[in-house]
Amino acid sequence: MYRLVLESDDEVNNVGSGSSSGSNDVTSGVGSNNVLFPFANEVNISGYFVCSVTSSDTSVTLWHKRLAHTNIKNIEKMQAKGMLTLDKKDFEKCETCVRSKFTKKPFPSVKRRNTSLLELIHSDICEINGILTRGGRRYFITFCDDSTRYLYVYLLKSKDEAFDAFKVYKAEVENQQEKRIKILRSDRGGEYFSREFDAFYEENGIKHERTSPFTPQQNGLAERKNRTLVEMVNCMLNQSGLPTNLWGEALLTTCHIHNRITSRVIPTSPYELWKGRKPEIDYMKVWGCVAYYRTPDPKRSKLGDRAMKSIFVGYAMNSVAYRFLDNESGVIVESRDADFFEDKFLKDSETTNPISIPSTSRDVPGPSRYIEEPRRSTRTRKEKNLGDDFVSYLVEGSQKKVTREVIFTIDFEDDPKTFSEAMSSRDAHLWKEAINDEMDSILGNGTWELDNLPKGKIPIGSKWIFKKKYHPDGSISAYKARLVAKGYRQREGIDYFDTYAPVARISSIRTLIAISALKGLYIHQMDVKTAFLNGYLNEEIYLEQPEGFVVPGQENKVCRLIKSLYGLKQAPKQWHEIFDTTVTNFGFRHNGADRCIYSKCTSDYTVVICLYVDDMLIINTDLEGISETKKYLSSNFKMKDLGEVDTILGIKVKRTGSQISLSQSHYIEKIPTKFQHLNIKKFNTPFDSCVKLGANSGRAVAQLEYASAIGSMMYAMHCTRPDIAFAVSKLSQHTINPGVEHWKAVSRVLGYLKRTSKLEMTYMSSSGILEGYSDASWIDQTSDSKSTSGWIFTLAGGAISWASKRQTCDRNYVHKLTNHLIAHPTLIRGLHKIPTTCIAHSTMEAEFIALAAAGKEAEWIRDLLSDIRLWDVPMPSIPMYCDSEATLSKVYNAVYNGKSRHIGLRHNYVRQLFENGTIKVVFVKSSKNLADPLTKPLTRDLVGTTTRDMGLKPQ
């Protein structure tokens, strides 16, 4: 016996034996309001349960809910089959269904747009599984004209190069078509939304259309072009059997072909619509096939091969020629004289004549396209222990496969030392490109001209210097080759005279960055390519022809230098003179405090240039002044526009909103690795307060390596890490004769850096007060009774200038004392006792000497800020915080007695700064004095507090 009870407001129906309280008997058949419910799967009966449906059960909304929010169409089908009798008028849109079942709206098919030439440009950036090209490119960007479907492709090393690619594309197509781009359509990638891009859109009146968030379908044409290009590239690589690092050459060839073939969308080829004439395609060859090109004349001989075997990899961009990958050197050459074997590929000749193709790809190699390897032994391979000086790797595969695929993914080689080493290295083709770029710059700049060597003249030699440049994250950014003259062979008074050339102080750079964070200024960066080649020489200098570029038939001639060259002693001076003249002619003027800071003020903007040899920062209140400055500099020098500053002097510059951070984390992480044999452990403080370092009375322990360690730490200390200034200053005093105790102290500093490598010097817009702190430690070294001075200045919440050094005597004081001794012959024997360092007689005197040194720096910072016109004038007095009340009373007292006349000059100087309003001296507790860690070792808690107050914050 089974019973089903359906409860409603009107009745209760019983199913099974018995009766119902309603008017219909469930056993008498199926009435007009009855519904059949199959329950055969739930109860073991062969029939159906039947229940009646009342008038209140005809609600569509109610049955929609009963049937688990099924689709309304399903309910309509059930009603059509007589399973339900419902009134659809009361159905309303179900909010629960909308909330629970919501999907993307369908994308309707887009009809052919009737656009004109350059009216709409589609763009997108694509990456091929992180595989790098031979030149180190990871991405490619496409620009497709909507009207003609004509396509441009550019290879990029990083996405931030998209802006430069668009500028090149815009300049070319607008010049060729004599029309202007109106709309650029792209996805919402951050590379299209930089400040430079936005300003460029506004400046050129370009409308930037972007897709909705997470909706790449709205950029369907560009996405489809990417898919088409990648599919064609994949086919070409698979057919030819060439390695994947040649995808860049294949992609450019694919773009070349794609523009010359018809498609389903347009009746003719994009080339015909773009150029106005039908393309010729009879010159096209099968990509990746074996080819021979004519041996160049300098390498031709009457006997021997007249052609060189190579692989066809594309078509030349700006000449009627083909591009070939030379088998022997791995260098890509261009030639119009060639013969092709379009049915032969690299993989076909693998067994007889293997071809070695250098690779720069860092990706994991894909499936091998080479012949099957011979059977190998199944014996277990064991790694040999060759000692601590060797690192061994177990690599699966034959020697041929390892050489071609694996060895290039690991950078074992150091930078080449000679020209022959570079040409025989695995990266020979990359070094060759770098050498050619350098020679193009030298010859294009008119640096020299060939001439006969005059009698009595001695030519100087030259040398190639090779260097890999790295990003802050450690990845290779570029291969650089530099031709350097052997300047050590120059003779003073004959080949050169003056050599001095200034560079910007690192304190100036930090100050400008702090002001930029404080006032929201733009900071852009430019690099002068081959900067030293721009200066003109006043001396007559002859140079031997560089290795690898001796002109045939003129081997006996030398290069008479017209412009300066790297390595010449006067090259930095000549470069600075030509740059100084160029920028001052454009309206810039020198900064009185730093000769490498230039500023220009107009009614619309103020722009500042900070020059450090060939690296420069351009700071401005708006982008107009930056653009004008860049344009002017590019018209006078060969410049590289790096956009917003990213790295300066190896320091990573990161901008987050109104905050700017300076980081050397990558550099600092390398320092402990360089000295890992010291078994460096992490420490919470840079210097042990219980250790008193003295002079080493024995033999020096690894003096050269000690000096290298001090230099490595000193660079970090000078740039972004004032928290180790005291430790580095203390350790550097023992560089000549270090001992075991000094090495232990070095290891502790390295351990502290290892623990705090992620700290960044941070500047914010919330703190606009320039403050200074001064402190001294009286006779902290009993061996020579010298005191230590320390001072630090903060702006925008971060330190901009600091120092920790032993106290020295003022030269003016030495000069005054010398004149005094000369005026009194009876005291002439005291001349040899003139002090070069100053011994303070008390804590007050030590503090006063430190305050005078800090006041000198305060005056310099004040002059720097006053001269760049980015600071409010007149400037208020700089508060100088000091924790010695005796020193404060000495400052405010205009009279001093004879016992302190040895600091009289300093007293007068500080008094003058105080009376002129340059500084004001304020008392501060020692626990709040930021200069305290610059004069003595502190405990862990105080180190953490002062480090944060200096502006050092974790990433």
Side-chain angles (χ1 to χ4, degrees):
M1 184 70 61
Y2 299 93
R3 185 168 184 252
L4 174 66
V5 179
L6 299 177
E7 296 186 2
S8 67
D9 295 336
D10 298 328
E11 57 184 342
V12 176
N13 297 320
N14 294 317
V15 180
S17 300
S19 60
S20 171
S21 59
S23 59
N24 295 316
D25 189 350
V26 297
T27 60
S28 62
V30 181
S32 60
N33 291 330
N34 290 339
V35 182
L36 301 179
F37 291 89
F39 283 85
N41 293 331
E42 300 184 15
V43 293
N44 190 16
I45 58 175
S46 59
Y48 292 91
F49 290 117
V50 183
C51 69
S52 62
V53 180
T54 65
S55 59
S56 62
D57 288 340
T58 61
S59 170
V60 178
T61 302
L62 180 60
W63 276 103
H64 171 71
K65 296 177 180 178
R66 286 177 176 174
L67 298 177
H69 293 268
T70 188
N71 196 298
I72 187 63
K73 293 182 179 179
N74 292 337
I75 298 178
E76 291 176 352
K77 290 179 181 180
M78 294 175 66
Q79 186 177 12
K81 291 184 178 181
M83 300 175 66
L84 291 172
T85 302
L86 304 173
D87 183 7
K88 295 191 294 182
K89 293 181 179 180
D90 66 339
F91 181 74
E92 299 177 356
K93 183 185 293 187
C94 180
E95 186 176 353
T96 301
C97 290
V98 172
R99 188 172 63 250
S100 306
K101 303 179 182 181
F102 198 89
T103 60
K104 284 187 175 182
K105 299 296 183 180
F107 291 91
S109 59
V110 180
K111 296 182 180 180
R112 172 71 175 166
R113 288 178 291 268
N114 187 21
T115 55
S116 59
L117 201 63
L118 297 185
E119 181 179 347
L120 174 61
I121 304 298
H122 303 266
S123 179
D124 193 23
I125 289 183
C126 185
E127 179 185 15
I128 302 184
N129 296 336
I131 302 174
L132 302 184
T133 65
R134 286 165 46 87
R137 268 69 175 179
R138 183 185 296 271
Y139 307 93
F140 69 87
I141 186 171
T142 58
F143 298 103
C144 182
D145 177 57
D146 185 77
S147 175
T148 62
R149 296 296 198 269
Y150 197 83
L151 188 65
Y152 276 77
V153 172
Y154 298 91
L155 301 178
L156 309 177
K157 288 185 177 180
S158 58
K159 290 187 176 182
D160 55 8
E161 295 179 355
F163 176 57
D164 294 330
F166 180 66
K167 288 196 298 183
V168 173
Y169 169 77
K170 177 181 181 296
E172 179 177 343
V173 298
E174 290 186 349
N175 181 58
Q176 296 295 328
Q177 300 298 333
E178 296 183 351
K179 293 187 177 182
R180 294 178 62 84
I181 296 175
K182 296 179 176 60
I183 302 173
L184 175 68
R185 179 176 296 174
S186 70
D187 57 17
R188 302 185 73 86
E191 60 275 6
Y192 293 100
F193 291 85
S194 64
R195 289 187 177 182
E196 296 92 339
F197 244 132
D198 292 339
F200 193 74
Y201 297 144
E202 183 177 351
E203 179 182 351
N204 293 274
I206 298 175
K207 181 181 179 182
H208 183 204
E209 293 183 352
R210 70 287 307 269
T211 62
S212 301
F214 308 104
T215 314
Q217 293 87 346
Q218 292 180 342
N219 196 29
L221 192 148
E223 297 284 352
R224 181 62 195 184
K225 290 296 180 185
N226 287 349
R227 175 182 169 183
T228 301
L229 293 176
V230 173
E231 288 176 347
M232 294 173 71
V233 167
N234 197 30
C235 292
M236 294 160 68
L237 291 173
N238 287 330
Q239 175 183 259
S240 62
L242 294 177
T244 55
N245 71 330
L246 285 172
W247 69 262
E249 294 290 338
L251 180 69
L252 296 177
T253 304
T254 298
C255 179
H256 181 88
I257 296 172
H258 183 272
N259 287 331
R260 287 160 176 78
I261 59 178
T262 60
S263 66
R264 179 178 55 84
V265 180
I266 56 179
T268 182
S269 65
Y271 182 92
E272 185 173 351
L273 296 175
W274 185 266
K275 300 281 188 178
R277 62 179 183 271
K278 290 185 179 181
E280 296 180 2
I281 62 173
D282 54 352
Y283 64 88
M284 291 187 177
K285 306 297 179 182
V286 177
W287 191 88
C289 70
V290 175
Y292 286 83
Y293 67 92
R294 182 177 179 271
T295 304
D297 290 338
K299 297 183 178 180
R300 286 176 65 86
S301 60
K302 293 185 178 180
L303 299 178
D305 294 338
R306 299 291 185 91
M308 304 184 73
K309 190 174 183 179
S310 62
I311 302 168
F312 168 61
V313 293
Y315 309 96
M317 292 284 268
N318 300 313
S319 58
V320 183
Y322 299 99
R323 290 171 62 84
F324 304 97
L325 178 64
D326 187 87
N327 290 357
E328 297 180 0
S329 64
V331 176
I332 291 181
V333 298
E334 295 183 357
S335 177
R336 63 173 295 274
D337 302 314
D339 203 352
F340 300 85
F341 293 83
E342 297 187 75
D343 57 345
K344 292 185 179 181
F345 300 96
L346 171 67
K347 60 183 180 181
D348 301 330
S349 59
E350 197 62 35
T351 57
T352 58
N353 187 21
I355 300 175
S356 177
I357 300 178
S359 168
T360 58
S361 176
R362 302 297 185 203
D363 59 289
V364 179
S368 175
R369 300 188 179 94
Y370 305 106
I371 62 173
E372 184 178 354
E373 298 175 10
R375 183 178 62 85
R376 298 191 299 270
S377 170
T378 58
R379 183 178 61 185
T380 304
R381 302 175 64 196
K382 296 182 179 180
E383 178 182 357
K384 291 184 178 181
N385 185 7
L386 303 177
D388 296 335
D389 295 333
F390 296 87
V391 179
S392 58
Y393 298 88
L394 292 178
V395 182
E396 289 292 334
S398 65
Q399 181 179 2
K400 182 190 303 180
K401 181 177 180 180
V402 170
T403 302
R404 286 185 179 153
E405 296 184 5
V406 178
I407 201 164
F408 300 111
T409 65
I410 307 173
D411 186 14
F412 290 110
E413 293 184 338
D414 293 329
D415 295 333
K417 300 295 188 297
T418 63
F419 181 85
S420 57
E421 282 186 22
M423 293 300 98
S424 60
S425 66
R426 298 188 185 98
D427 296 331
H429 60 290
L430 295 172
W431 293 123
K432 185 67 175 177
E433 288 183 16
I435 291 172
N436 290 335
D437 289 343
E438 175 73 0
M439 288 303 298
D440 289 343
S441 299
I442 292 174
L443 299 178
N445 198 47
T447 305
W448 65 58
E449 60 182 22
L450 289 180
D451 200 353
N452 294 318
L453 182 65
K455 279 188 177 183
K457 292 292 184 180
I458 301 176
I460 60 176
S462 61
K463 182 181 179 181
W464 285 103
I465 303 296
F466 302 95
K467 187 72 175 179
K468 296 173 188 173
K469 297 191 73 173
Y470 296 89
H471 291 295
D473 61 0
S475 60
I476 297 177
S477 64
Y479 287 75
K480 291 289 185 182
R482 184 77 73 199
L483 181 64
V484 179
K486 295 180 179 179
Y488 57 84
R489 294 179 56 182
Q490 289 183 265
R491 296 163 293 175
E492 185 177 0
I494 299 176
D495 297 323
Y496 72 94
F497 295 93
D498 295 331
T499 60
Y500 171 75
V503 295
R505 287 184 59 181
I506 187 65
S507 300
S508 302
I509 297 176
R510 286 192 299 261
T511 303
L512 291 175
I513 292 176
I515 295 175
S516 301
L518 191 63
K519 297 184 175 294
L521 306 179
Y522 296 96
I523 310 178
H524 281 234
Q525 186 177 9
M526 295 191 80
D527 178 65
V528 187
K529 296 182 179 179
T530 59
F532 286 1
L533 303 184
N534 292 284
Y536 287 91
L537 292 177
N538 300 321
E539 302 82 7
E540 188 175 353
I541 302 175
Y542 293 89
L543 181 78
E544 297 173 356
Q545 293 191 50
E547 183 179 4
F549 291 89
V550 178
V551 179
Q554 303 186 55
E555 292 85 355
N556 296 326
K557 291 189 175 183
V558 294
C559 303
R560 183 171 65 86
L561 293 179
I562 300 173
K563 293 185 177 181
S564 60
L565 189 68
Y566 284 89
L568 296 178
K569 292 185 178 295
Q570 64 266 50
K573 174 179 175 292
Q574 299 302 125
W575 154 241
H576 185 267
E577 283 185 359
I578 191 68
F579 181 84
D580 186 86
T581 303
T582 302
V583 297
T584 52
N585 290 339
F586 191 55
F588 284 87
R589 62 182 185 85
H590 301 103
N591 188 286
D594 194 325
R595 293 284 295 181
C596 288
I597 305 294
Y598 302 86
S599 59
K600 177 182 177 181
C601 298
T602 68
S603 58
D604 298 326
Y605 57 80
T606 297
V607 61
V608 177
I609 296 178
C610 176
L611 178 70
Y612 193 98
V613 188
D614 57 353
D615 289 326
M616 68 179 69
L617 299 178
I618 305 176
I619 302 171
N620 202 348
T621 52
D622 60 22
L623 293 175
E624 179 185 355
I626 291 180
S627 300
E628 290 183 2
T629 305
K630 287 182 177 180
K631 185 177 180 180
Y632 176 75
L633 292 174
S634 299
S635 65
N636 287 274
F637 307 109
K638 190 176 181 180
M639 307 290 295
K640 183 179 181 181
D641 188 356
L642 302 176
E644 285 196 67
V645 62
D646 179 72
T647 305
I648 180 71
L649 303 181
I651 306 171
K652 181 72 175 177
V653 183
K654 295 189 296 185
R655 190 163 202 157
T656 307
S658 60
Q659 175 178 301
I660 301 179
S661 300
L662 305 181
S663 173
Q664 287 182 288
S665 59
H666 176 66
Y667 171 77
I668 292 175
E669 288 170 357
K670 281 185 175 180
I671 302 177
T673 305
K674 183 179 179 181
F675 302 96
Q676 57 185 352
H677 59 279
L678 298 177
N679 296 323
I680 298 171
K681 300 179 181 179
K682 294 182 179 181
F683 288 93
N684 293 316
T685 58
F687 203 87
D688 190 353
S689 58
C690 299
V691 173
K692 300 294 182 182
L693 287 180
N696 179 28
S697 58
R699 295 184 59 183
V701 179
Q703 188 270 335
L704 292 178
E705 191 176 8
Y706 183 89
S708 175
I710 294 298
S712 299
M713 295 185 297
M714 189 171 291
Y715 179 65
M717 181 270 291
H718 274 304
C719 294
T720 59
R721 298 300 298 269
D723 53 331
I724 63 170
F726 172 75
V728 174
S729 173
K730 221 42 164 170
L731 293 172
S732 63
Q733 299 170 17
H734 305 280
T735 305
I736 296 178
N737 189 26
V740 176
E741 294 300 320
H742 304 113
W743 270 109
K744 290 181 179 178
V746 167
S747 179
R748 185 182 183 92
V749 180
L750 295 177
Y752 174 75
L753 288 176
K754 187 176 182 180
R755 190 185 72 85
T756 61
S757 61
K758 299 298 182 182
L759 289 181
E760 300 176 334
M761 181 61 69
T762 305
Y763 303 101
M764 301 173 292
S765 61
S766 56
S767 177
I769 302 176
L770 174 62
E771 298 176 322
Y773 296 83
S774 169
D775 194 22
S777 178
W778 182 52
I779 309 184
D780 58 343
Q781 191 166 320
T782 56
S783 59
D784 59 3
S785 300
K786 303 298 189 301
S787 303
T788 299
S789 295
W791 44 261
I792 185 171
F793 290 85
T794 62
L795 177 65
I800 58 172
S801 182
W802 58 83
S804 175
K805 56 181 67 176
R806 284 200 302 176
Q807 293 184 352
T808 57
C809 189
D810 196 321
R811 290 185 179 181
N812 292 330
Y813 168 67
V814 175
H815 180 68
K816 182 178 180 180
L817 181 59
T818 303
N819 293 336
H820 176 71
L821 292 173
I822 293 175
H824 298 78
T826 56
L827 302 177
I828 197 68
R829 61 181 180 273
L831 276 174
H832 70 281
K833 298 181 180 179
I834 295 176
T836 58
T837 57
C838 187
I839 299 177
H841 297 170
S842 65
T843 301
M844 184 276 295
E845 292 182 2
E847 294 276 0
F848 205 94
I849 293 172
L851 180 61
K856 187 182 297 183
E857 185 71 8
E859 186 179 23
W860 176 84
I861 295 176
R862 183 185 177 91
D863 293 341
L864 177 73
L865 295 176
S866 300
D867 228 15
I868 60 177
R869 308 290 180 87
L870 292 175
W871 198 264
D872 297 334
V873 290
M875 287 185 60
S877 300
I878 301 175
M880 291 295 307
Y881 294 95
C882 177
D883 57 6
S884 172
E885 293 184 349
T887 302
L888 264 69
S889 63
K890 193 72 175 176
V891 172
Y892 289 103
N893 186 5
V895 180
Y896 60 93
N897 54 34
K899 293 182 179 180
S900 59
R901 63 177 176 268
H902 58 287
I903 62 169
L905 293 177
R906 291 181 175 85
H907 182 269
N908 291 336
Y909 178 67
V910 173
R911 283 287 306 172
Q912 182 180 1
L913 294 179
F914 174 72
E915 292 173 357
N916 293 341
T918 302
I919 64 172
K920 60 179 180 180
V921 186
V922 183
F923 176 75
V924 66
K925 293 182 179 179
S926 296
S927 59
K928 299 294 184 180
N929 192 348
L930 295 187
D932 205 34
L934 303 178
T935 60
K936 61 182 73 70
L938 301 180
T939 62
R940 179 178 61 183
D941 294 339
L942 288 177
V943 167
T945 301
T946 55
T947 298
R948 287 190 300 270
D949 293 341
M950 289 177 181
L952 289 170
K953 298 178 181 179
Q955 295 180 1

